[in-house]
Structure formats: structure tokens, C-alpha cells
Amino acid sequence: MEEDDSIDLSITRRNLLLASAASAAVTALPAEAQTSGSPQIAVEKVHTHKVTLQVNGQPKTLELDTRTSLLDALREHLHLTGTKKGCDHGQCGACTVLVDGRRINACLTLAVMHEGAQVTTIEGLGTPQKLHPMQAAFVKHDGYQCGYCTPGQICSAVGVLDEINRGVPSHVTADITVKPLLSADELRERMSGNLCRCGAYSNIVDAMTEVAGGVR
Amino acid sequence: MAKTATPRTPRAGAERVDARDKVRGAMRYAGDDVRPGLLHAALVPSRIAKGRVTRIDVAEAQRVRGVRSVLTHENIGSFDTGGFLMGGGFGFQSFFPLRSAQIAYRGQSVAMVVADTLEAAREAATRVVVAYEAAPFVSTLDDPGAEPIDQSVLLPQPMFADRKVGDPERALAGAAATVDLHCELPAQHQNPIEIIATVAEWKDGVLTISEPTQNAEGVRHGLSRQLGIEATRVRVLSPTLGGGFGQKNSLQSHTVLVALAARQLGRPVKLEMTRAQLFHNTSFRPASRHRVRLGADREGRLVGAIHEIDQQTSRHDLFPSLGTEVTSRLYGVPNFLGRERLVRTDVQTPGFMRAPFEHAATFAYECAVDELAHALGRDPVAFRLLNDASTDPLSGKPFSSRHVAECLVSGSEIFGWQRRSQQPGSMRAPDGSLVGWGVALGIYKAAMAPAIAKVRLQADGAVRVSVGGHEMGQGIRTAIAVTVARQLGAPIGAIEILLGDTAAAPQHVTAGSWGTATALPPVLDATRRLLDDLRQHAGAGASSGTTALELLRASGRPFAEAETRARAPGQPEQVFGRLTGGLPAAAGPVYPDFVAFSFIAHFVEVRIEPTTRRIRVPRVVSVADCGTVVSPRTARSQVEGGVVWGIGATLREMSEVDKRYGGFLNTDLAEYVVPVAADIGRIDVSFVGKPDTRFNTLGAKGLGEVAMVGVAPAIVNAVFHATGKRLRRLPLVIEDLIG
């Protein structure tokens, strides 16, 4: 691998964690993080990197500990606390945001992996004066109780309808040639990565059904 | 599974007052605190289940860049226990980590790191080196070292005694038909989606705590005791919780650590627990075993019942079992014995998890009732109707209101129960699935706690309501707003409701489904007093159509205010001392002139795939008797949520224990399986809606927990109807149905 000062974009989270822990393996990191010739990784040192994200249409540049998840970057650094942390392990979906149009769990990705990406959080859907249609539908159908999973549910719901429109199949798609793929079972299946302990699932599906214009 | 769905009619009733905030991500929870100067904390959990810390080395942790402090039992200084909620104290358990080297349970905190960043705190936490001396431990009810002891011996108060009326042994001996069954239910965890975050800050000697809690007053007084400072110098804020379900109903064992760190460092400190840590650092539903013996005469009338329960507790506290308090009142059984035993295990103290005793006890009892009905060849609904009660078998007092019959009749009509063929395995779906239809009752006490409510109207139109309560999604804020708006003729948007703030009003724990019954009557009363006051000051000028605001402006006063204190029937005036002291003070279900319970009937359809035995629940019909329904929209959602919980408790949830390690193994949301959207079909909810004005002026009984009770036996009874198999252990697994 060519040794240069720029960050290796193929770096994985696992490699970064190994590098910043006490490990002998040195992967390609920004030059300032490498100690010349020394085999010892200094645990005191914090590896940081600059990244610019397009968040809700605004460019945001951060200098971050490379271990900072996208979720923590949004919440702790950009103070966009609408996106929630429910598990930090990609198991609950409360941290769902839209990155370059696709829904992802923000806790399962590092901020520094998304240079230049378009990030849409719940704060970026609609405005205080004019709710996004999905937000309005959730209000109409009482698609929440405690509200903690709600931002993730709404971002995920927006992502789901887009996926269905693009013809992306799911586990319950019986025939991928039938269009549209929209059905109650499809909505339920695709939303099963967003846990709601208050049990508002039926209302959430009702809200999505309305935005989708009804289901077969 | 349903292949098509028509969009259902829009929700009846007013939208929640916090609806817009919730869908815009503008709702603020404790963990959303990003105030300037905030430091971040991380806990270090114990790797052994019992014993002591012999050495703890923080040097490596301290070397991590950004670390400010590493607290252990050796350097944190002394602080008091917060006591046990059920023992005159405030904590979910009496054992508070970092007060000594003792390890009482796996996952107990042994240190806390405080650092400039979350990443530094978490990294440093992994670098704290701990050596232990391990001791043998007991982790399950059937562990050889587990010893059940009669609760009546351990806890000599009347409320924990055996419940007995008549001569049940004799009645069973003479019965025409009897059943005798044993049931087992596992430990489970509440797992609200919000993870607990605690923020502590000191200013001029006053500590302010932001933490999601259902008991702000308990946290306040508990910390006051632990830190040795006046309660006037502690303020606790919990305006909005991301779900409670009992996990947050008392002082947690970590809160004082955050307060101590903030004081030591002179900076605000935020501790964000991890999901895994929640499994060992808060309460949970204890494992239980049940034996139910039931007997009926030839006509199908229940003549005798003996219900025995063994329930898990910790080594250091006795969390009581109260299951027979409700099963004794399900039917009019004249001879009843309820006996409870506690089993100490080495774990953090279990506690209240939605319908903490009622879910398990009613599961066992309603399975037995169903089995007895079948033995006598009776329809399960008809059998239950025949055994309806009009007075409490234990005390002889009347029920304040009881509409069990209407729940059953109405529910069976909506469900289409008359099309059920009785023979197990006789109903099949077109796709070959076995179809099963089951029914069960649910019951939960109607409780009430003391409260002080203040309503204030200002000349600019703003209305401010202060009362004790905590909003965790049940919609208490909305119920209050709707009530006040209607009384005053004020727009809902003008009403500010202060909940969960110890500086605004005393905050009794919001639990036991008593939140609405506790807060709303005094709010309603205070609002009426305010109107009376306004009318008096307006004098002859007031006409009947005038709004409260018009009356106030006509009087020329800048504001008007009214305050009301309310307590449950039979409670003495001294109970307000408990309220302001942060101690539990709820009453019920037994009152001087009546007993009070909420009821529900659940009708469940299951579909079982014949080869894989996979169980689906495509539809549930639930009819609830909770008195007045104050806010239809939120009430309906509560019952749907309760049914989802019932499905999870029956088919998914189990906190797994390996006897070799203690603690819980599946400490994350992938391995602790809760229902997801694909698990849930149609849930049809309706309400009897008859006000129980004997209980309170509003006529409202509780709803949040009765919603869940009875779902589990209804599912299991449906599985019997589909397969002919009686399953007695939850959660149901496929192995139970094979062979």
C-alpha cells in the first residue's frame, strides 16, 4: 500500500479500533498519528480527523476522535439530539438516519467514513411550520407513545417507502417482478428493525399506509 | 397472515399535546443534555457474580487522554445507602455499589470513569484492572442452594400474609372436577428503548439531577440521605421519559456516583448507561413458579382454589410477591388460599415490571380455569360468566365497579366467538395452519396516591398546572391538558403542565397504573375551585358562556390560582407527609367501603404452521373496564401496547441465566427478543366506559397494566385449542410443540 498522508478510505471500524488500542498492528493513519520508527502505540494519544458532512442541507466540519460514531457526532458534537441512542449496537433502530438517501443505523458507522455525505436527520424532515407528510401522518394516527423511538421510526419509514418505490425486495417479497411491492406485510417486515417497546406498531403502519396512498 | 389492509379510521380523540415535538425530534430526554462543560462518565461492571474486589488498579485508565477521574470504593469517600423502596427507603435495592469491596451480583459496578469525551471514558473503563475473590452463588429458583421461605414468615405485615377464606382443601376434596397444574415464568427485563442517562450539576451548593425517573421525589430524598444534605438542596427533573414500565420507579444505584463526581470535579457530569449495563443495574421481573389447584361442582361453579407462588428475590432485599391479591378476586370462589414464598438468589433486587405480579399469577390461574372448563365440557366464555363475582370473596366488600360480564360478552361478539368449534385441532385455515381461539381475563388493582395540584390562570391567557406525575408515554400530560382545557374553555396550546419537577409540586412515584387516578381528580378539583373563585370575583357580570379568561380579565387581576390536596379513600391526613417525604403512599385495592379493580377480557386467535410449529397472533380483541376513559386516543394506544407486551411475554422474552456465571447472558436487544412490527397483527380495542364514581370524582380506574394481564393465558389457551397441548412454561418455544 502506498504510504501517504491522506486517510485510507478502505479502513474499517475494526482496524481503527485495533490501531487505537494497544496493538502492534499499524494501519494507514494520518501522518501525525504515526510515531516514527517506534513499535509502541501511545495509549494517551487521541487520533482525530477532520470530516465535513452535509447535515440537513448545511455543511458541517468537525474535528473528531476517529472512533466517534455518526450518531455521537450528530448528538454530542452537532447537538442534533433528535436522533436517539437506544442500544448503540444497531439492534433497536432508534438511531436511524438517511445518508445519501438510504436509511442506516448511525451507531454502526463512524463519522469519518462519510466525508461529503448528505445526512438527513429527523430535524431535517419538514419544518416547524410545515411537517413532512410522514410526520403529519404519525400525528394523525398516534404513531408513538413515549416518543423515544419515533425519530428513528419516521426516518426509517421515509426510507422504506423509497426502497419500495425503487423496487428493492425484502424477506417477505413473494414475487419480485410484481410492482409495486407495497403491502401491509412488506411495511411490517421492513420496519422490524425499529423496535417500539410501547407497542405503537399498528399505528405506525397505518401512518405509512396513508402516506403511501393505501396498500393492496 | 392478513394479506390486505385497508387504512383504518383516524384515531378518535384529541392529539397528544406533545405530538409535534415527538415527530420533529424536539422532545428532550435526559440523555439529550449537551450543556457546555459537560463531562462524560462510564461504568465498569463486575465480572464475577459474588465475592469481593481484592485489588483495583486504575493507573492504565488514568493514562487515557481526557480522563479526569476514576472512582472506586477505595477513593470515592463514604456515602450512605439510599435504603430499599419496600423497606422505608428510596432505592430499587438497598445495596449501593462502591460503598465497599463487596460484590453482590454479576454486572455490579466496581468503578466509574469520568472524562472529557464519551470515547475516552469508554476506553478508560476497559482499562481498569480488577482482581476478585469469587464465592459460590445461587442464580435460579431450581438451583440446589435456592431455599423457598414462606413470605408470611419473612414479612410479617398483614399485606404480605397468606390470603385465606373458607376451607379450600375441603372444598377441593369434595369437588366434582379438579385441576392441579404447575407453571413457570422466566425473569424478564423492562427494556424501554430509552437508555438511562443521569446528569448531575452542583450550583451554589444545590444539586440538580436530570434523569428519566418515575419517582422524582424518591430520587430527591434518597440522594439527600445518601449525601447527607438537606432535601431542599436537591432538585430532580424528569419531565419526559422514553418509557418506564417500572424500570425507573425508584432511586437507581448509580445516581449518587454521578452526583459525587460532579461535586468532586466542579463540572456537570453525564453518565449514559449502556444497554448491556441496564440488565444488571436496574430492577427486572423476577422468575416465578406457580401451582394452581381448582375445583368446581357439576354445574361448573368454582368451589375452591389454592394458588401457591414461589418468586425470586435478591440476597439483600425481600421483594414481596402479591400475585394472589388479584387471583383471589378474579371469580366468586368462596374457598380460597393464596400462599407466597420468596427465594433468595445472588442478583440485583428484582422489582416492578409492568403488571409485576398480576401477569404471572393471572397466567397460571387463567390457564387452570380454562383447563377446568374444558374438563367439564364447558365453553370457556360461558364458564367465566357463570363464575363472575359481585362482592370480594376475601373481604366481603362490594366492588366499586365491575363489568367483567360486559367485557366477555362484548368481546366475544366482536371476535366472533360463536363460530368457535370446541374440539382442539378442529379449526384450520385455508393455508393449512392450525387455528386456535382462546380467551382469558385480566385484572389489576385500582390504586390512588396522594397529590397536590395547583392551577393558575394568567391575564395573558397562559394556564399553568403543577401536579405530581411523570409522562412516560401513557399520555398523562394530554389527559390533564384535555381536562383543564374543557373546564376553563382555554385552548390546549395555552396550557403548560409541570410534571416530574420536584420544585413545582411533590412528585409521588407514577406507577401501579395510578398516575391518572392520582393526578386528575385534584387537577379537576383545583380547576373547579379556580372557576368558582373567578365567578365570585366577577360577581353579577358573569354570564354562563363566559370563559375563565374573560372572567379573570373582567376582574382586573393579573392572575388567579387554586390549589387542591387529594388522597385516596380512607387515607389519613398524615399521608401527605409521606408524599412530601418521597415515600410510597399509594392505597388500594382495598378501601374502607369497597374494593376496586380494573378488568379486561382478551380474545386471541393464533395460527400455527403445522410443520415448523411457528406461532403467529394475527388478531386480538380486547375489551377493558377501566371506568371513565379520559383520553380515548392515548387509552387505545395503551391497550395496544399492553397486548404487544403480552405477546412478547408469551412468545419471545426471556432473560437467560447460565448457572455457571450468574447474571444474565442475553444483555442486548438482539438476544433479548421483544416483539417487532412483523409480529403484530390486528388489535381491536374497546372500552366499557362506565364511570366508577365510587372510586373518584373522575370515575377513572387504571389501564396501563391491566392492558397486559390475561394476554399470556389467552394465547396459551388458544394454542391448546389449536393443538390439544397444554403448555405451562413461558416463553413458548417450538420444542414444546414438537412431538
Side-chain angles (χ1 to χ4, degrees), chain A residues 44 67-68 75-76 81 84-86 88 91 135 139 142 144-147 188 192 197-198 201 206, chain B residues 8 16 19 22-23 28-29 31-32 63 65 122-123 190 272 275 633 637 645 653 675 678 680:
Chain A
E44 297 91 344
R67 299 167 297 177
T68 305
R75 288 176 52 79
E76 302 292 336
T81 55
K84 304 301 180 199
K85 180 179 291 187
D88 219 23
Q91 295 167 340
Q135 291 170 316
V139 169
D142 208 42
Y144 39 68
Q145 289 181 38
C146 80
R188 290 204 164 97
S192 288
R197 197 50 166 148
C198 297
Y201 296 126
D206 284 349
Chain B
R8 297 194 293 164
R16 291 177 198 245
K22 283 176 177 167
V23 298
R28 286 283 162 271
Y29 303 83
D32 296 333
R63 289 210 311 132
R65 175 76 56 90
R122 290 198 301 214
E123 181 186 351
Q190 301 90 341
E272 204 177 71
R275 177 60 59 177
R633 177 178 289 227
S637 293
W645 266 64
E653 296 176 48
I680 304 304

Side-chain angles (χ1 to χ4, degrees), chain A residues 1-55:
Chain A
M1 183 171 304
E2 196 184 318
E3 207 180 341
D4 62 19
D5 286 350
S6 62
I7 191 162
D8 180 353
L9 289 171
S10 67
I11 208 158
T12 64
R13 182 180 191 185
R14 184 162 191 274
N15 287 342
L16 272 175
L17 288 173
L18 284 172
S20 50
S23 160
V26 180
T27 56
L29 287 170
E32 65 268 18
Q34 289 176 333
T35 53
S36 51
S38 163
Q40 190 183 8
I41 299 292
V43 298
E44 297 91 344
K45 222 175 184 90
V46 176
H47 301 295
T48 65
H49 193 75
K50 236 185 217 150
V51 63
T52 299
L53 307 166
Q54 298 291 327
V55 182

Side-chain angles (χ1 to χ4, degrees), chain B residues 235-396:
Chain B
R235 182 180 181 190
V236 178
L237 292 164
S238 180
T240 302
L241 287 78
F245 311 118
Q247 183 203 58
K248 297 163 175 162
N249 75 355
S250 28
L251 174 65
Q252 307 291 357
S253 54
H254 67 265
T255 309
V256 69
L257 307 179
V258 188
L260 288 168
R263 186 165 71 182
Q264 179 194 94
L265 295 166
R267 292 271 293 272
V269 176
K270 175 162 84 170
L271 169 67
E272 204 177 71
M273 301 196 56
T274 68
R275 177 60 59 177
Q277 286 164 2
L278 288 174
F279 281 79
H280 295 127
N281 282 279
T282 62
S283 71
F284 62 98
R285 187 192 300 286
S288 63
R289 281 190 300 237
H290 299 251
R291 181 182 184 192
V292 180
R293 283 173 278 174
L294 278 186
D297 64 20
R298 215 158 324 209
E299 281 73 51
R301 277 185 301 259
L302 293 168
V303 295
I306 300 179
H307 187 175
E308 295 165 283
I309 305 177
D310 285 348
Q311 185 176 279
Q312 177 185 22
T313 187
S314 66
R315 185 68 57 191
H316 36 272
D317 294 312
L318 296 169
F319 180 67
S321 171
L322 292 168
T324 63
E325 180 179 76
V326 293
T327 54
S328 52
R329 274 85 172 220
L330 269 171
Y331 299 100
V333 186
N335 303 285
F336 182 96
L337 172 63
R339 183 188 287 139
E340 334 236 5
R341 301 192 302 182
L342 299 178
V343 185
R344 287 190 167 103
T345 61
D346 295 296
V347 73
Q348 80 268 24
T349 303
F352 302 88
M353 172 171 165
R354 197 173 200 171
F357 321 107
E358 299 76 3
H359 154 64
T362 305
F363 167 70
Y365 203 87
E366 279 291 276
C367 283
V369 165
D370 211 70
E371 196 165 327
L372 188 55
H374 187 77
L376 288 166
R378 301 298 158 110
D379 171 79
V381 173
F383 188 85
R384 287 172 169 84
L385 284 168
L386 182 64
N387 285 287
D388 198 5
S390 52
T391 57
D392 171 21
L394 290 191
S395 69

Side-chain angles (χ1 to χ4, degrees), chain A residues 113-126:
Chain A
M113 289 167 66
H114 295 281
E115 175 64 39
Q118 301 283 341
V119 179
T120 304
T121 70
I122 188 70
E123 291 94 342
L125 289 180

Side-chain angles (χ1 to χ4, degrees), chain B residues 64-251:
Chain B
V64 173
R65 175 76 56 90
V67 167
R68 298 284 181 135
S69 178
V70 183
L71 295 169
T72 72
H73 70 279
E74 290 173 350
N75 64 15
I76 195 170
S78 72
F79 59 95
D80 205 353
T81 168
F84 178 45
L85 178 81
M86 301 296 285
F90 306 96
F92 86 87
Q93 63 177 358
S94 62
F95 182 90
F96 283 76
L98 267 68
R99 293 184 69 230
S100 75
Q102 184 191 351
I103 302 293
Y105 49 91
R106 186 176 185 81
Q108 173 193 325
S109 298
V110 296
M112 188 174 84
V113 175
V114 187
D116 291 339
T117 69
L118 200 49
E119 292 79 21
R122 290 198 301 214
E123 181 186 351
T126 65
R127 293 182 179 285
V128 175
V129 179
V130 190
Y132 304 94
E133 185 182 278
F137 58 88
V138 169
S139 55
T140 63
L141 292 183
D142 54 7
D143 206 302
E147 192 197 335
I149 304 178
D150 280 344
Q151 178 169 278
S152 55
V153 166
L154 291 171
L155 296 166
Q157 296 97 309
M159 71 181 287
F160 304 123
D162 290 354
R163 279 166 242 280
K164 187 162 181 190
V165 66
D167 190 342
E169 305 267 9
R170 184 151 165 226
L172 287 174
T178 58
V179 293
D180 181 352
L181 46 75
H182 292 77
C183 291
E184 279 173 45
L185 295 100
Q188 291 175 329
H189 281 74
Q190 301 90 341
N191 277 319
I193 303 300
E194 178 187 33
I195 51 180
I196 294 180
T198 304
V199 181
E201 185 167 21
W202 295 81
K203 243 186 199 124
D204 303 322
V206 174
L207 168 67
T208 302
I209 294 281
S210 249
E211 183 184 274
T213 179
Q214 298 167 239
N215 189 355
E217 210 63 53
V219 174
R220 174 181 174 227
H221 287 268
L223 286 173
S224 152
R225 172 175 161 178
Q226 289 192 280
L227 296 167
I229 62 176
E230 293 292 310
T232 48
R233 300 210 285 134
V234 182
R235 182 180 181 190
V236 178
L237 292 164
S238 180
T240 302
L241 287 78
F245 311 118
Q247 183 203 58
K248 297 163 175 162
N249 75 355
S250 28
L251 174 65

